[in-house]
């Protein structure tokens, strides 16, 4: 794992570095980095910003886990928790972050969703690492998308190296990206501007969205599969039991996608995904038996029989 506990460390580092290079912010000079985040990017920004002498102010939807909020407070970030509303509403957490920056010449909006520093962090960093570690023997890569930077950056790099590499999305409930990839439309015209909330019962935080971000637009995907909440929970407990991996919701989503893509491409293929987060940030949901029972998500599978068939 990265120092901040998620793959977002790479994104935060590149956003700050690029902003400094372009003169938007200066270290130890009273600047504030502002972001709209479901937690992980905020944690990474808060951690790295301290080293550079920046203040951090974060706008967070009110379904984010208590673990993430507590960690952000510990790291010294100023936190504004905002009710979940469609993106067409002015009080959406992304709009709140943007409006905050308009009032202060020393405030910088990190804008992880549409700032291509996100995509570039993975195109120039994570993608080459994967290519090197697999000796270029990659047949397919699959992962979920929130900002779109990880899947686009890694996928674009691998396709530039080998156009035959298949890049697939795995999408959670409530997201419209599966439809966008497989049918060319999100839902209908009005939905392209709306981010539907992932419900408070969900553990898929920071992944799934109902609009195409600038980062996501940097790659043409080969296909998509879906992942249910039940599949995500079962996979998290499957790898905990069999592999000793204590993973978070996004990582479980990606592993479900990896198995489904492996089955789709057939035997003998090398499939790559990314374990983006760990389970410590989800202990009051994914790893809380009371929460699981309340939401009918108690894991019962003994093998991979819980995975739905891929068409």
């Amino acid at each position: 794992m990265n120092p901040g506990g998620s793959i977002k460390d790479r994104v935060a580092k590149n956003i700050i570095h690029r902003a400094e290079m372009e003169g938007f912010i200066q270290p130890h000079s009273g600047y504030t980095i502002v972001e709209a985040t479901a937690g992980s990017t905020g944690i990474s920004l808060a951690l790295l910003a301290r080293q550079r002498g920046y203040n951090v102010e974060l706008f967070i939807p009110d379904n984010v886990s208590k673990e993430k909020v507590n960690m952000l407070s510990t790291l010294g970030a100023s936190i504004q928790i905002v009710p979940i509303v469609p993106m067409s509403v002015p009080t959406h957490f992304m709009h709140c972050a943007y409006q905050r920056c308009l009032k202060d010449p020393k405030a910088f909006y990190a804008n992880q969703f549409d700032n291509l520093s996100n995509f570039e962090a993975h195109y120039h960093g994570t993608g080459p690492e994967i290519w090197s570690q697999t000796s270029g023997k990659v047949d397919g890569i699959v992962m979920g998308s929130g900002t779109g930077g990880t899947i686009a950056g890694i996928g674009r790099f691998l396709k530039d190296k080998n156009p035959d590499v298949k890049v697939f999305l795995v999408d959670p409930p409530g997201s419209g990206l599966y439809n966008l990839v497989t049918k060319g439309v999100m839902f209908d015209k009005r939905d392209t501007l709306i981010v539907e909330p992932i419900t408070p019962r969900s553990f898929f935080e920071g992944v799934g969205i109902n609009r195409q971000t600038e980062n996501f637009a940097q790659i043409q995907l080969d296909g998509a599969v879906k992942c249910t909440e039940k599949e995500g929970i079962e996979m998290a407990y499957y790898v905990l039991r069999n592999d000793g991996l204590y993973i978070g919701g996004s990582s479980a989503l990606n592993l479900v996608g990896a198995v489904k893509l492996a089955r789709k491409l057939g035997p003998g293929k090398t499939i790559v995904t990314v374990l983006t987060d760990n389970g410590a940030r989800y202990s009051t949901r994914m790893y809380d038996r009371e929460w699981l029972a309340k939401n009918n998500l108690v894991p019962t599978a003994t093998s991979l029989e819980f995975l739905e068939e891929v068409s």
Side-chain angles (χ1 to χ4, degrees):
M1 291 294 181
N2 297 280
S6 83
I7 200 170
K8 295 295 187 178
D9 286 354
R10 298 160 184 248
V11 176
K13 178 183 176 182
N14 203 46
I15 287 175
I16 293 173
H17 178 65
R18 177 59 65 85
E20 288 180 349
M21 288 182 60
E22 296 180 356
F24 292 113
I25 54 177
Q26 297 176 14
H28 306 285
S29 301
Y31 283 85
T32 298
I33 297 173
V34 180
E35 182 60 300
T37 174
S40 291
T41 302
I43 290 169
S44 298
L45 283 171
L47 190 68
L48 296 174
R50 281 209 165 191
Q51 182 189 34
R52 306 293 291 168
Y54 297 113
N55 301 312
V56 174
E57 185 170 348
L58 305 172
F59 290 82
I60 301 174
D62 61 4
N63 69 332
V64 170
S65 68
K66 294 179 181 178
E67 294 88 343
K68 289 182 182 178
V69 174
N70 290 340
M71 183 174 290
L72 288 167
S73 296
T74 299
L75 294 175
S78 173
I79 304 167
Q80 309 294 331
I81 298 178
V82 181
I84 297 175
V85 294
M87 196 173 179
S88 54
V89 177
T91 55
H92 187 275
F93 74 113
M94 293 184 195
H95 300 323
C96 290
Y98 175 72
Q99 291 295 325
R100 161 68 177 83
C101 293
L102 295 179
K103 304 174 183 177
D104 184 354
K106 281 201 166 185
F108 170 72
Y109 183 28
N111 191 15
Q112 59 174 321
F113 291 88
D114 299 301
N115 185 336
L116 293 185
S117 296
N118 183 346
F119 162 82
E120 292 164 359
H122 297 296
Y123 184 87
H124 296 295
T126 319
E129 286 180 32
I130 291 172
W131 184 257
S132 174
Q133 291 170 11
T134 59
S135 300
K137 298 176 182 178
V138 180
D139 296 294
I141 183 164
V142 58
M143 61 190 68
S145 178
T147 66
T150 309
I151 189 171
I154 296 173
R156 176 89 166 268
F157 178 85
L158 294 180
K159 275 192 170 292
D160 284 350
K161 284 291 188 178
N162 178 7
D164 292 330
V165 173
K166 302 300 181 185
V167 181
F168 268 65
L169 168 80
V170 55
D171 214 26
S175 174
L177 294 180
Y178 175 87
N179 278 1
L180 180 65
V181 173
T182 59
K183 301 177 182 178
V185 294
M186 197 73 69
F187 290 109
D188 57 44
K189 291 182 179 179
R190 60 178 182 164
D191 285 326
T192 60
L193 297 177
I194 298 174
V195 176
E196 296 292 342
I198 301 297
T199 65
R201 103 184 246 277
S202 180
F203 58 90
F204 290 127
E205 295 179 12
V207 62
I209 193 172
N210 282 345
R211 73 175 179 96
Q212 180 169 264
T213 67
E214 288 297 322
N215 285 290
F216 191 79
Q218 300 306 305
I219 189 170
Q220 184 71 37
L221 298 180
D222 295 294
V225 296
K226 292 182 178 181
C227 173
T228 66
E229 289 181 326
K230 182 65 173 175
E231 288 176 313
I233 288 292
E234 291 285 6
M235 181 60 78
Y237 279 84
Y238 177 85
V239 296
L240 179 62
R241 184 171 61 249
N242 292 282
D243 301 291
L245 294 175
Y246 183 46
I247 61 173
S250 297
S251 297
L253 178 86
N254 287 349
L255 286 178
V256 169
V259 176
K260 289 188 176 184
L261 182 57
R263 290 177 175 177
K264 191 176 185 69
L265 297 186
K269 305 295 184 182
T270 299
I271 309 299
V272 173
T273 193
V274 178
L275 301 187
T276 56
D277 54 2
N278 64 60
R281 297 177 182 177
Y282 302 87
S283 61
T284 57
R285 291 185 185 175
M286 288 179 66
Y287 297 101
D288 184 279
R289 287 286 171 169
E290 184 176 335
W291 185 91
L292 292 169
K294 180 180 177 181
N295 292 287
N296 299 314
L297 290 173
V298 175
T300 58
T302 57
S303 186
L304 295 175
E305 72 273 12
F306 59 85
L307 291 172
E308 297 180 1
E309 293 296 320
V310 179
S311 58

